[in-house]
Amino acid sequence: MNVQRSLVLIKPDGLQRDLLGEVIGRFERKGLKIVGLKLIRLTESMLDEHYAHLADKPFFASIKEFMMQTPVVGIVFEGIDAIEAIRKLIGSTNPRQADAGTIRADLAMNVPSNLVHASDSVENATVEVKRFFKDEELFQYEKITDRYVFGEGV
Ligand code: IDP
Ligand code: MG
């Protein structure tokens, strides 16, 4: 059973548009377990690391400014193959091209404010969880629904 942890950030547009519950609810209903959850005030140095792969893009400064407009909600989810499952739930980067039924397709209309960030690989998930959460902010616990959600692990 390939249990993974993945980092999700709900961006300032999610907070401003009162979509925190809607977004978190979609992950909850899927069966992803919340093992860390908090508001985070992002700093420029955190964003320089987090968006390092975009440093040479013309929109780099504006995306960092956008991400600092309000606190973001940071969540660490746990589940079988959670990284890929979450990327499927959020949809592709451009909300207008994302598959219907995904968070970005259903709730957003433009690329910078596409509501959520989610880790895209095992390597990035490990680094990103560590970037935003201390060990003591992450929890391990049993839920009575685990047997239904995890089943035999397939
Ligand atoms: P992802 O969030 O789907 O993984 P990335 O390519 O990692 O997409 O880009 C990170 C974030 O940067 C996107 O979610 C989006 O908010 C922003 N972004 C990506 N491309 C553009 C662009 O062309 N213009 C403005 N913002 C962009
Ligand atoms: Mg990305």
Side-chain angles (χ1 to χ4, degrees), residues 2-93:
N2 186 32
V3 178
Q4 297 175 333
R5 288 182 168 187
S6 185
L7 176 89
V8 166
L9 300 176
I10 308 181
K11 300 181 182 185
D13 49 323
L15 184 145
Q16 293 287 15
R17 296 177 57 212
D18 301 322
L19 289 172
L20 300 180
E22 167 75 28
V23 171
I24 293 170
R26 286 177 177 228
F27 293 118
E28 269 190 304
R29 293 201 296 274
K30 172 72 170 166
L32 291 151
K33 188 188 282 189
I34 295 172
V35 298
L37 174 67
K38 62 179 178 178
L39 281 177
I40 307 170
R41 176 66 83 175
L42 295 174
T43 63
E44 182 141 26
S45 67
M46 288 164 115
L47 287 162
D48 282 337
E49 281 185 19
H50 185 64
Y51 283 138
H53 62 296
L54 304 173
D56 59 348
K57 304 281 191 203
F59 55 84
F60 186 53
S62 67
I63 193 178
K64 286 194 293 181
E65 193 198 332
F66 170 69
M67 293 293 283
M68 292 188 287
Q69 280 177 3
T70 70
V72 299
V73 176
I75 312 167
V76 180
F77 285 108
E78 188 176 85
I80 300 171
D81 299 332
I83 296 162
E84 189 186 355
I86 290 170
R87 288 294 300 198
K88 279 193 194 300
L89 282 186
I90 75 170
S92 58
T93 308

